[in-house]
Amino acid sequence: MMEGETGGPVPSTETGTEEVHTPTLISPPESKTPPTAIHKRNQTDFTFNGSDRNSAPVDAGQLSRALELFEQAGKARERTPTASPSRKRQRIYGDRFIPNRSGQDLQASFSLLHDDGSPATPSRSARRTPHNELHFQKSKCPACETEEANRTYSAVLRQEMFESTVPQAMPQSLSPNDSANMRRSGRSHTPPAARTTSTLPAPSLTPSTPHKNMFTYSARHSFSGQPTPSRTPQSRHAINLNARSDIYSLSPVKYSSQRMLLSPQKTPRAVAKVPYKVLDAPDLADDFYLNLVDWGSQSTLGVGLGSCVYMWNANTGRVTKLCELTDDTVTSVNWIQRGSHLAIGTNRGFVQIWDAQSQRRLRTMMGHTARVGALAWNEHILTSGSRDRTIYHRDVRQPDQWLRKLVGHKQEVCGLKWNSEDGQLASGGNDNKLMVWEKLNAEPTFKWSEHQAAVKAIAWSPHQRGLLASGGGTADRTIKFWNTLISPNGPSASSLAAASASASASGSAGVPTSPTAPANLLSSLDTGSQVCNLAWSKNSNEIVSTHGYSQNQIIVWKYPSMQQVVSLTGHTYRVLYLAMSPDGQVIVTGAGDETLRFWNAFKKKERTGGLGGMDNWGVIR
């Protein structure tokens, strides 16, 4: 092996006894290309063969120091942040940075914010944690507090940036003129807001280039010599006597924002989403057409389980077995409005009246040829609806079995509710019909066929005269509101006034009705699931509905807007039974999962007086 001109070894090839030398390549004198360094091509090929004469032993100390220096250089290089090669750093003169918003589109930026205007995304734990029972038992969960803080922040941000001129959202579609203007200009612009909503200049979606002169005097003039508008509208020599002006404020928040933050906030009504009590109800029938749960005026809950009727005292929590039928089953129970009398309908068509206080049966009334699935009291009048399609009015003071027979439904009667104030009876059947009967008349005053499924859910409003709510089954899923004060033969002046007031109060409830709908139909709302029961709140203008297929939920609605106050879930079967406590605060629901669940659904109402006795009602014979 020989050494070349560059001082490195020149490789040789042995063929027999002759030695062929490869000449070195020398660059021309006038060329700027350096000569070829052959030894560089092999500088990474470490030779550990001891037979190489030109190889020198490696110093271990020098190698260790070289490796240590290499590692330190690599670590220092990793810790040093590298700037983006495609972006120049802004040269800043001075010791502080003054932002300039002249090139920013505030309206477009504000419209791109989240709905809540939250300054930061909630933590993952707040988003992943479901609202389980443990969280609902607390007064307020952390996620709710975060959402409330975000809403407050959004309101303050809007007030600080725009005050009363809040920008409007960008429309989804533009007019042809706007599209043509955009094509001519080559830039996309946000359509200007309405003249009465904003006084800011028309924003652009593409942020404009900021002026070169970014830093200006905060007093009177800028570097470019252009005058800068003063902070106050007063002239230079005038005195601002407004003590609430921003120039005298020691707070970074505007006075209008301070007033908004200090104003009393209307907190939404909190409703516990878990029942405070759950009772087992074995043999509670999973039958849509039955009514097996009712809450009496003396805080006693009556429940029909199989062939037995049980009573649960809400004051003491004691459970009492009232009766057990022989060769028969319970299909409906209903308490009298005032007193301790309970009416029981049976599968064989009998109607029994029991005195719950003495646990004694007073009488058994006949007349129906099929099961009695619906009962309703109106003082001393007990009305029963049966699978035999008939309705009987019974005067419990008279020895007669029934007082009046009503024939109108073509299938089973499954819903009955009296409006004691106006003497109207509403009945619903499996024939999808809803009827309203005046007092004890044999013919219905109204006969509506708007529902597309069985009508079991019926409720009269205690806050507005003549307002009736009805709910349809699986094929219908709607809640409809009716005005029963309109006469079918031509409304009177008083009825027309009441109807117009009712329509104005209910105009925003649900979906607008069709032009062919009857005049009595005020509104209709599609709930998305089978409506099993309806009940109006005694303390507020709200209504609660229970549902079956497919979500099995309990919903409290605000009337007439029909906005959901709360949706309660827990039953695994359709919620077929509903009853309300005498004070109107608690509702109890029953389902085919054989449980009774008690919910604190409504607020408390101040006590106005007692219920009175039954001395002037006569004696049940």
Side-chain angles (χ1 to χ4, degrees), residues 103-141:
Q104 296 182 7
D105 190 349
L106 296 181
Q107 281 189 335
S109 301
F110 188 82
S111 61
L112 293 176
L113 286 175
H114 191 267
D115 293 339
D116 293 337
S118 57
T121 305
S123 61
R124 292 184 178 180
S125 60
R127 290 180 297 179
R128 290 180 179 177
T129 304
H131 286 245
N132 51 24
E133 297 183 2
L134 181 62
H135 286 81
F136 289 129
Q137 290 174 0
K138 298 179 181 179
S139 60
K140 186 179 290 186
C141 61

Short mmCIF file of all heavy atoms in Angstrom, two decimals, residues 103-141:
data_model
loop_
_atom_site.label_atom_id
_atom_site.label_comp_id
_atom_site.label_asym_id
_atom_site.label_seq_id
_atom_site.Cartn_x
_atom_site.Cartn_y
_atom_site.Cartn_z
N GLY A 103 -55.85 45.95 12.67
CA GLY A 103 -55.95 45.01 11.57
C GLY A 103 -56.75 43.77 11.89
O GLY A 103 -56.71 42.80 11.15
N GLN A 104 -57.48 43.76 13.01
CA GLN A 104 -58.25 42.59 13.41
C GLN A 104 -59.73 42.82 13.15
O GLN A 104 -60.22 43.95 13.26
CB GLN A 104 -58.04 42.29 14.90
CG GLN A 104 -56.61 41.92 15.24
CD GLN A 104 -56.46 41.58 16.71
OE1 GLN A 104 -57.45 41.49 17.41
NE2 GLN A 104 -55.24 41.38 17.14
N ASP A 105 -60.41 41.76 12.80
CA ASP A 105 -61.85 41.78 12.57
C ASP A 105 -62.53 41.25 13.82
O ASP A 105 -62.62 40.03 14.03
CB ASP A 105 -62.19 40.93 11.35
CG ASP A 105 -63.64 41.12 10.92
OD1 ASP A 105 -64.40 41.73 11.68
OD2 ASP A 105 -63.98 40.67 9.82
N LEU A 106 -62.97 42.12 14.69
CA LEU A 106 -63.51 41.70 15.97
C LEU A 106 -64.83 40.94 15.80
O LEU A 106 -65.10 39.97 16.51
CB LEU A 106 -63.72 42.92 16.88
CG LEU A 106 -62.44 43.68 17.27
CD1 LEU A 106 -62.79 44.84 18.19
CD2 LEU A 106 -61.45 42.75 17.94
N GLN A 107 -65.68 41.38 14.87
CA GLN A 107 -66.96 40.70 14.69
C GLN A 107 -66.76 39.28 14.18
O GLN A 107 -67.40 38.35 14.68
CB GLN A 107 -67.83 41.49 13.70
CG GLN A 107 -68.49 42.70 14.33
CD GLN A 107 -69.50 43.32 13.40
OE1 GLN A 107 -69.40 43.17 12.19
NE2 GLN A 107 -70.48 44.01 13.95
N ALA A 108 -65.88 39.12 13.21
CA ALA A 108 -65.64 37.77 12.69
C ALA A 108 -65.00 36.89 13.75
O ALA A 108 -65.33 35.71 13.88
CB ALA A 108 -64.75 37.84 11.45
N SER A 109 -64.09 37.45 14.53
CA SER A 109 -63.45 36.65 15.58
C SER A 109 -64.44 36.26 16.66
O SER A 109 -64.42 35.13 17.16
CB SER A 109 -62.30 37.44 16.20
OG SER A 109 -61.34 37.78 15.22
N PHE A 110 -65.35 37.18 17.01
CA PHE A 110 -66.32 36.86 18.05
C PHE A 110 -67.32 35.83 17.58
O PHE A 110 -67.76 34.97 18.34
CB PHE A 110 -67.04 38.13 18.49
CG PHE A 110 -67.91 37.93 19.69
CD1 PHE A 110 -67.38 37.96 20.96
CD2 PHE A 110 -69.27 37.71 19.55
CE1 PHE A 110 -68.18 37.78 22.06
CE2 PHE A 110 -70.07 37.53 20.65
CZ PHE A 110 -69.52 37.56 21.92
N SER A 111 -67.69 35.88 16.27
CA SER A 111 -68.66 34.91 15.75
C SER A 111 -68.06 33.51 15.67
O SER A 111 -68.81 32.53 15.61
CB SER A 111 -69.14 35.33 14.37
OG SER A 111 -68.05 35.38 13.47
N LEU A 112 -66.73 33.39 15.67
CA LEU A 112 -66.10 32.08 15.62
C LEU A 112 -65.90 31.48 16.99
O LEU A 112 -65.43 30.35 17.09
CB LEU A 112 -64.73 32.19 14.92
CG LEU A 112 -64.76 32.55 13.44
CD1 LEU A 112 -63.36 32.71 12.91
CD2 LEU A 112 -65.51 31.50 12.64
N LEU A 113 -66.25 32.22 18.04
CA LEU A 113 -66.12 31.66 19.38
C LEU A 113 -67.14 30.57 19.59
O LEU A 113 -68.14 30.45 18.88
CB LEU A 113 -66.31 32.76 20.43
CG LEU A 113 -65.17 33.76 20.61
CD1 LEU A 113 -65.58 34.83 21.60
CD2 LEU A 113 -63.92 33.07 21.09
N HIS A 114 -66.90 29.77 20.64
CA HIS A 114 -67.86 28.74 21.05
C HIS A 114 -69.12 29.42 21.56
O HIS A 114 -69.11 30.58 21.95
CB HIS A 114 -67.25 27.86 22.14
CG HIS A 114 -68.05 26.63 22.43
ND1 HIS A 114 -69.00 26.59 23.41
CD2 HIS A 114 -68.05 25.41 21.85
CE1 HIS A 114 -69.55 25.40 23.45
NE2 HIS A 114 -69.00 24.66 22.51
N ASP A 115 -70.22 28.68 21.55
CA ASP A 115 -71.48 29.25 22.00
C ASP A 115 -71.40 29.77 23.42
O ASP A 115 -71.99 30.78 23.77
CB ASP A 115 -72.60 28.19 21.91
CG ASP A 115 -72.89 27.83 20.47
OD1 ASP A 115 -72.55 28.63 19.59
OD2 ASP A 115 -73.44 26.74 20.24
N ASP A 116 -70.71 29.05 24.27
CA ASP A 116 -70.59 29.48 25.65
C ASP A 116 -69.50 30.51 25.83
O ASP A 116 -69.39 31.10 26.90
CB ASP A 116 -70.30 28.27 26.56
CG ASP A 116 -71.47 27.33 26.62
OD1 ASP A 116 -72.58 27.80 26.35
OD2 ASP A 116 -71.28 26.14 26.93
N GLY A 117 -68.69 30.73 24.78
CA GLY A 117 -67.62 31.67 24.93
C GLY A 117 -66.65 31.31 26.03
O GLY A 117 -66.14 32.16 26.73
N SER A 118 -66.40 30.06 26.19
CA SER A 118 -65.57 29.62 27.29
C SER A 118 -64.13 29.98 27.05
O SER A 118 -63.62 29.84 25.95
CB SER A 118 -65.70 28.10 27.47
OG SER A 118 -65.36 27.46 26.28
N PRO A 119 -63.43 30.48 28.06
CA PRO A 119 -62.03 30.83 27.87
C PRO A 119 -61.14 29.63 27.71
O PRO A 119 -60.06 29.73 27.18
CB PRO A 119 -61.71 31.60 29.16
CG PRO A 119 -62.66 31.05 30.15
CD PRO A 119 -63.91 30.73 29.39
N ALA A 120 -61.55 28.50 28.20
CA ALA A 120 -60.73 27.30 28.10
C ALA A 120 -61.65 26.10 28.04
O ALA A 120 -62.76 26.12 28.52
CB ALA A 120 -59.79 27.17 29.29
N THR A 121 -61.15 25.06 27.41
CA THR A 121 -61.93 23.82 27.32
C THR A 121 -61.96 23.15 28.67
O THR A 121 -60.95 23.07 29.34
CB THR A 121 -61.30 22.89 26.27
OG1 THR A 121 -61.20 23.59 25.04
CG2 THR A 121 -62.16 21.65 26.08
N PRO A 122 -63.13 22.68 29.12
CA PRO A 122 -63.16 21.99 30.41
C PRO A 122 -62.24 20.79 30.41
O PRO A 122 -61.93 20.22 29.36
CB PRO A 122 -64.64 21.58 30.55
CG PRO A 122 -65.38 22.47 29.62
CD PRO A 122 -64.44 22.80 28.50
N SER A 123 -61.82 20.43 31.58
CA SER A 123 -60.89 19.32 31.71
C SER A 123 -61.54 18.03 31.26
O SER A 123 -62.76 17.90 31.20
CB SER A 123 -60.44 19.19 33.17
OG SER A 123 -61.55 18.94 33.99
N ARG A 124 -60.69 17.05 30.92
CA ARG A 124 -61.22 15.78 30.43
C ARG A 124 -62.03 15.08 31.51
O ARG A 124 -63.01 14.42 31.23
CB ARG A 124 -60.07 14.89 29.98
CG ARG A 124 -59.36 15.41 28.74
CD ARG A 124 -58.30 14.44 28.27
NE ARG A 124 -57.64 14.91 27.06
CZ ARG A 124 -56.68 14.24 26.44
NH1 ARG A 124 -56.26 13.08 26.93
NH2 ARG A 124 -56.13 14.73 25.34
N SER A 125 -61.61 15.26 32.73
CA SER A 125 -62.36 14.59 33.81
C SER A 125 -63.76 15.14 33.93
O SER A 125 -64.71 14.43 34.21
CB SER A 125 -61.61 14.76 35.14
OG SER A 125 -61.47 16.15 35.45
N ALA A 126 -63.90 16.46 33.70
CA ALA A 126 -65.24 17.05 33.78
C ALA A 126 -66.12 16.58 32.64
O ALA A 126 -67.32 16.46 32.78
CB ALA A 126 -65.13 18.58 33.76
N ARG A 127 -65.49 16.31 31.45
CA ARG A 127 -66.31 15.86 30.32
C ARG A 127 -66.62 14.38 30.39
O ARG A 127 -67.67 13.94 29.99
CB ARG A 127 -65.59 16.17 29.02
CG ARG A 127 -65.52 17.66 28.69
CD ARG A 127 -64.81 17.90 27.38
NE ARG A 127 -63.43 17.46 27.45
CZ ARG A 127 -62.59 17.54 26.44
NH1 ARG A 127 -62.99 18.03 25.28
NH2 ARG A 127 -61.34 17.12 26.55
N ARG A 128 -65.70 13.60 30.91
CA ARG A 128 -65.91 12.16 30.93
C ARG A 128 -66.80 11.71 32.08
O ARG A 128 -67.45 10.70 32.00
CB ARG A 128 -64.56 11.45 31.03
CG ARG A 128 -63.71 11.56 29.76
CD ARG A 128 -62.40 10.84 29.94
NE ARG A 128 -61.59 10.90 28.74
CZ ARG A 128 -60.36 10.39 28.65
NH1 ARG A 128 -59.83 9.77 29.71
NH2 ARG A 128 -59.67 10.48 27.53
N THR A 129 -66.81 12.47 33.17
CA THR A 129 -67.55 12.03 34.34
C THR A 129 -69.04 12.12 34.07
O THR A 129 -69.55 13.20 33.82
CB THR A 129 -67.20 12.90 35.55
OG1 THR A 129 -65.79 12.85 35.73
CG2 THR A 129 -67.92 12.40 36.78
N PRO A 130 -69.77 11.03 34.05
CA PRO A 130 -71.21 11.10 33.80
C PRO A 130 -71.94 11.61 35.02
O PRO A 130 -71.45 11.57 36.14
CB PRO A 130 -71.57 9.63 33.50
CG PRO A 130 -70.57 8.85 34.28
CD PRO A 130 -69.30 9.66 34.28
N HIS A 131 -73.17 12.08 34.78
CA HIS A 131 -74.00 12.56 35.88
C HIS A 131 -74.66 11.35 36.54
O HIS A 131 -75.83 11.04 36.32
CB HIS A 131 -75.06 13.53 35.34
CG HIS A 131 -74.50 14.86 34.99
ND1 HIS A 131 -74.83 16.01 35.63
CD2 HIS A 131 -73.57 15.22 34.08
CE1 HIS A 131 -74.18 17.02 35.11
NE2 HIS A 131 -73.42 16.56 34.16
N ASN A 132 -73.89 10.67 37.33
CA ASN A 132 -74.44 9.50 37.99
C ASN A 132 -75.14 9.91 39.28
O ASN A 132 -75.29 11.09 39.59
CB ASN A 132 -73.34 8.47 38.27
CG ASN A 132 -72.15 9.10 38.98
OD1 ASN A 132 -72.30 10.11 39.64
ND2 ASN A 132 -71.00 8.50 38.83
N GLU A 133 -75.55 8.92 40.03
CA GLU A 133 -76.34 9.22 41.22
C GLU A 133 -75.54 10.02 42.23
O GLU A 133 -76.06 10.88 42.92
CB GLU A 133 -76.84 7.91 41.83
CG GLU A 133 -77.78 7.13 40.91
CD GLU A 133 -78.32 5.90 41.56
OE1 GLU A 133 -77.97 5.69 42.72
OE2 GLU A 133 -79.08 5.18 40.92
N LEU A 134 -74.26 9.71 42.35
CA LEU A 134 -73.45 10.40 43.34
C LEU A 134 -73.38 11.89 43.05
O LEU A 134 -73.45 12.71 43.95
CB LEU A 134 -72.04 9.80 43.37
CG LEU A 134 -71.06 10.41 44.39
CD1 LEU A 134 -71.60 10.21 45.79
CD2 LEU A 134 -69.69 9.78 44.25
N HIS A 135 -73.27 12.24 41.78
CA HIS A 135 -73.17 13.65 41.44
C HIS A 135 -74.50 14.36 41.62
O HIS A 135 -74.53 15.52 41.99
CB HIS A 135 -72.69 13.81 39.99
CG HIS A 135 -71.24 13.52 39.82
ND1 HIS A 135 -70.77 12.23 39.71
CD2 HIS A 135 -70.15 14.32 39.76
CE1 HIS A 135 -69.46 12.26 39.57
NE2 HIS A 135 -69.06 13.51 39.59
N PHE A 136 -75.61 13.68 41.35
CA PHE A 136 -76.89 14.35 41.47
C PHE A 136 -77.28 14.59 42.92
O PHE A 136 -78.09 15.44 43.20
CB PHE A 136 -77.98 13.54 40.76
CG PHE A 136 -77.86 13.57 39.28
CD1 PHE A 136 -77.88 12.41 38.54
CD2 PHE A 136 -77.71 14.76 38.63
CE1 PHE A 136 -77.76 12.45 37.17
CE2 PHE A 136 -77.59 14.82 37.26
CZ PHE A 136 -77.62 13.66 36.54
N GLN A 137 -76.70 13.86 43.84
CA GLN A 137 -77.02 14.09 45.22
C GLN A 137 -76.30 15.31 45.76
O GLN A 137 -76.65 15.81 46.82
CB GLN A 137 -76.67 12.84 46.05
CG GLN A 137 -77.59 11.66 45.77
CD GLN A 137 -77.14 10.42 46.49
OE1 GLN A 137 -76.16 10.44 47.20
NE2 GLN A 137 -77.87 9.34 46.31
N LYS A 138 -75.29 15.78 45.05
CA LYS A 138 -74.61 16.99 45.47
C LYS A 138 -75.42 18.20 45.02
O LYS A 138 -76.27 18.14 44.17
CB LYS A 138 -73.20 17.04 44.87
CG LYS A 138 -72.30 15.90 45.32
CD LYS A 138 -70.94 16.01 44.67
CE LYS A 138 -70.04 14.86 45.10
NZ LYS A 138 -68.71 14.93 44.46
N SER A 139 -75.09 19.34 45.64
CA SER A 139 -75.81 20.55 45.28
C SER A 139 -75.49 21.00 43.87
O SER A 139 -76.34 21.45 43.13
CB SER A 139 -75.48 21.67 46.28
OG SER A 139 -74.08 21.93 46.26
N LYS A 140 -74.20 20.89 43.48
CA LYS A 140 -73.81 21.30 42.14
C LYS A 140 -72.51 20.59 41.81
O LYS A 140 -71.57 20.60 42.58
CB LYS A 140 -73.64 22.80 42.08
CG LYS A 140 -73.38 23.33 40.67
CD LYS A 140 -73.25 24.82 40.67
CE LYS A 140 -74.57 25.48 40.95
NZ LYS A 140 -74.50 26.94 40.82
N CYS A 141 -72.44 19.99 40.63
CA CYS A 141 -71.26 19.26 40.23
C CYS A 141 -70.24 20.23 39.65
O CYS A 141 -70.57 21.32 39.21
CB CYS A 141 -71.63 18.18 39.21
SG CYS A 141 -72.36 18.83 37.70
#
